[in-house]
Amino acid sequence: MKVQPKGGNMDRRQFVASCSAAMMASWLGSRAEGEAWAGMPKKDKTIRRVIIDTDPGVDDAFALMLAMRSPELKIEAITAVAGNVPLELTLPNALRMVEICERTDIPVAGGASEPLLRKLVTAAYAHGKNGLGGVEFPAPKTKPVPEHAAELIARLIRQYPGEITLVPIGPLTNIALALRSDPGMATIVPGIVLMGGSLSGGNVTPAAEFNFYVDPEAAAIVFDSGIPITMVGLDVTHKVELTDERLVRLEANKTQVSQAAARIARSITETYRRAGHPGWPILNDPLAVSALLDPAILKLTDYHVEIETTGALTAGESVGYRHGDVRTAAPLQSSGGAVPESAAFHSNCKVGTGVDVQRFFELLIQRLG
Ligand code: BDR
Ligand code: CA
């Protein structure tokens, strides 16, 4: 965990903070002007530009479908990263999703095939070997764009300064690579709305949530970037279970998108049952997307969050301060190091701490239908 000492690096922090305030204002107000769409009140006729970085992934597939079926979002790119399954699968899975949603106008790029420093750990046990619950969709005809995800992210952010919200729903490797290649871009990103982390225990280790566990160093770079973050973590996502009743409602919608989503969910649920697991698929990633669509779905609370990158049992843990000075561990006597200064609390993150589950599923089922 890296903590700024009191007074340390304040110029940059103040600069970032003032930029962020201006950008937050523009983020909340009008951004990319879009065409009006039916049913939206006049004052809401704005469209937010987003880049979705993803590792499909059962719940990633749902998140992509929800985003692509939501007129409030102008998806400038979908970028794939290794995570739930290797990149050789997440990239074609992302392409399959744009085809199912008939949104092949959206550029899809491949990115990192492994975390910044660590060996890739996947989660095929939760997503099926192919990442889509074992459902075999046809090989995509659409090709990825010939640009690395990190380059595409950095280029688009420069092309639309202050306008692109990043929506990472996998390990943060691509976002960290983009920030590392162009650190100045942090001041022109209005916000990151991500699925990852937890302030109440992990799902891979007792400390770490999967996306942060896979690439803790990348998560630390993102949280240290000064970009305002909305962290939709396990604290809330564990409540959005795709129960049988909800799945039946999805299956009843006869659209291509709803049917594809339902097949994925039905298949992975059957896999869980065969393995003796009684739970339902958890829709972590679409809950993060929903935060961009309906602010009433999540309750957000200001926190200071830092990412633990060390410790055999703790790497990838997201440590949240609600208030009070931020401290690191006391130095070992043998280190000869000085006792670290504490840093005054400042919020770098809004954390999802409450969720209207019913409202989320109404939105999801309606949009996919
Ligand atoms: C996160 O990890 C992945 O398995 C899911 O797609 C989600 O992004 C949940 O911990
Ligand atoms: Ca994911």
Side-chain angles (χ1 to χ4, degrees):
M1 192 165 86
K2 188 168 154 229
V3 173
Q4 299 286 345
K6 261 186 185 148
N9 214 10
M10 280 306 287
D11 288 349
R12 178 183 174 276
R13 288 263 175 212
Q14 281 167 343
F15 175 65
V16 168
S18 63
C19 287
S20 300
M23 280 161 196
M24 282 302 276
S26 94
W27 191 39
L28 294 166
S30 65
R31 288 158 302 280
E33 290 300 322
E35 290 174 10
W37 60 86
M40 294 299 290
K42 198 162 182 258
K43 67 181 173 55
D44 288 332
K45 280 183 204 159
T46 56
I47 298 181
R48 187 185 310 221
R49 295 186 200 275
V50 296
I51 296 173
I52 304 177
D53 189 69
T54 177
D55 60 334
V58 167
D59 58 332
D60 299 77
F62 274 76
L64 290 169
M65 290 174 181
L66 175 60
M68 284 189 273
R69 300 275 290 179
S70 292
E72 300 90 334
L73 304 180
K74 167 100 171 67
I75 306 173
E76 294 293 341
I78 293 172
T79 51
V81 66
N84 288 318
V85 286
L87 184 70
E88 303 87 79
L89 295 171
T90 60
L91 179 56
N93 285 348
L95 291 163
R96 288 183 173 97
M97 291 308 119
V98 298
E99 289 187 351
I100 288 167
C101 293
E102 297 177 354
R103 291 298 311 275
T104 52
D105 55 300
I106 299 171
V108 177
S113 58
E114 54 187 10
L116 293 183
L117 301 178
R118 294 172 192 266
K119 289 193 172 163
L120 177 66
V121 175
T122 59
Y125 55 85
H127 298 267
K129 277 194 192 128
N130 71 354
L132 296 177
V135 179
E136 293 294 343
F137 293 101
K141 294 194 180 74
T142 315
K143 299 280 172 241
V145 295
E147 194 173 9
H148 190 281
E151 283 169 24
L152 179 59
I153 291 167
R155 182 171 64 72
L156 288 170
I157 285 170
R158 287 287 173 192
Q159 188 175 338
Y160 299 109
E163 290 189 33
I164 293 196
T165 300
L166 296 174
V167 189
I169 53 176
L172 288 160
T173 322
N174 286 340
I175 310 296
L177 286 171
L179 281 166
R180 230 165 49 174
S181 74
D182 181 358
M185 97 186 185
T187 61
I188 54 168
V189 177
I192 296 180
V193 178
L194 62 83
M195 192 283 135
S198 169
L199 300 184
S200 53
N203 57 357
V204 183
T205 66
E209 176 281 330
F210 178 80
N211 290 335
F212 292 7
Y213 171 87
V214 170
D215 200 340
E217 287 75 19
I221 288 172
V222 169
F223 275 77
D224 201 31
S225 68
I227 302 171
I229 294 173
T230 300
M231 180 178 119
V232 182
L234 299 178
D235 315 289
V236 279
T237 67
H238 262 183
K239 298 185 177 145
V240 288
E241 293 180 307
L242 188 58
T243 59
D244 196 51
E245 186 199 339
R246 292 170 179 144
L247 182 46
V248 166
R249 284 184 63 196
L250 261 188
E251 284 167 334
N253 286 335
K254 295 302 172 204
T255 64
Q256 174 168 292
V257 177
S258 199
Q259 288 291 307
R263 280 179 68 202
I264 294 170
R266 182 62 72 194
S267 174
I268 198 69
T269 304
E270 285 167 2
T271 305
Y272 292 171
R273 294 297 172 271
R274 281 195 297 275
H277 172 43
W280 303 103
I282 294 174
L283 298 188
N284 305 280
D285 295 341
L287 187 61
V289 169
S290 80
L292 297 158
L293 306 176
D294 178 358
I297 288 175
L298 285 172
K299 178 182 171 216
L300 300 174
T301 307
D302 281 320
Y303 271 90
H304 178 87
V305 174
E306 298 221 15
I307 311 302
E308 183 58 80
T309 55
T310 61
L313 301 174
T314 53
E317 180 173 11
S318 38
V319 179
Y321 278 73
R322 180 80 185 88
H323 44 65
D325 285 358
V326 180
R327 297 176 190 281
T328 49
L332 292 171
Q333 290 176 12
S334 56
S335 74
V339 173
E341 286 186 70
S342 57
F345 173 87
H346 78 277
S347 168
N348 64 349
C349 188
K350 290 192 182 298
V351 176
T353 53
V355 55
D356 186 334
V357 174
Q358 176 75 11
R359 195 174 171 110
F360 165 71
F361 276 105
E362 289 307 321
L363 175 79
L364 180 78
I365 292 168
Q366 182 256 322
R367 291 287 164 98
L368 268 49

